[in-house]
Amino acid sequence: GTTTADALVPSTTNTYHRIYSNSMSSGRVMSAFVRANGYNKVALKESGTTGFHASFDLSSVTLLDASVGVAGSIVSVGSGWYRLSAVLPSTVANIGVQINVLAPSYVSGDPNSSFFAGNGTSGVFAWGAQVEAGSTATTFYVLAVYFGSVAIRRTANCSCRF
């Protein structure tokens, strides 16, 4: 694990803007730490099978929209950083995860329908995305990565990080 975040910067193409994990993870709770860097609206979306999502406004610290059965949460952790989480329905077992930077005009709906042309420099910072089993986001757990191989410290029920 590191203390550096990734900058998610929308391109100047008029499309939806996301980063996602192709792998399916066992769990139903998605979470990530995010901070505005010019854009304030962000979504966590299940990208593998269901499309469930929760969308947030970092400037007003609010949940904007969530799929039926999804519980979204935004919590300030200081210095402009927020921990976003989305708890999916209990019928969901394996998920893929994506983080969308949303159009400034976004109010609700599928994050992949939030088309806009970014300015190529603004965005959001993201760090510590993970998927967990259970029904709430727990403490962030670092996955240790070694040169040439991957070692996962499964200190709780963390099973995915990108």
Side-chain angles (χ1 to χ4, degrees):
T2 65
T3 56
T4 56
D6 291 308
L8 308 181
V9 178
S11 70
T12 57
T13 302
N14 187 34
T15 188
Y16 61 93
H17 305 277
R18 67 178 180 169
I19 183 170
Y20 63 97
S21 168
N22 279 327
S23 63
M24 298 296 284
S25 299
S26 177
R28 66 182 188 101
V29 181
M30 302 181 284
S31 65
F33 294 88
V34 297
R35 180 178 180 186
N37 184 34
Y39 289 107
N40 296 305
K41 296 181 179 179
V42 181
L44 296 176
K45 180 175 179 176
E46 193 288 313
S47 63
T49 57
T50 67
F52 286 132
H53 73 277
S55 304
F56 307 90
D57 186 328
L58 305 178
S59 63
S60 63
V61 193
T62 56
L63 173 68
L64 292 172
D65 186 46
S67 300
V68 173
V70 174
S73 172
I74 178 170
V75 177
S76 175
V77 294
S79 300
W81 284 92
Y82 299 92
R83 186 164 191 207
L84 308 180
S85 65
V87 180
L88 306 184
S90 60
T91 55
V92 176
N94 294 301
I95 63 175
V97 180
Q98 74 183 41
I99 300 173
N100 289 59
V101 179
L102 302 169
S105 61
Y106 175 88
V107 177
S108 66
D110 182 354
N112 287 358
S113 296
S114 179
F115 280 56
F116 73 105
N119 63 16
T121 57
S122 298
V124 299
F125 294 115
W127 183 85
Q130 67 182 19
V131 172
E132 303 175 79
S135 60
T136 124
T138 63
T139 304
F140 175 74
Y141 291 93
V142 175
L143 301 181
V145 178
Y146 300 98
F147 187 60
S149 64
V150 177
I152 300 175
R153 181 172 61 93
R154 294 183 59 109
T155 316
N157 46 13
C158 172
S159 60
C160 175
R161 178 173 181 237
F162 63 91

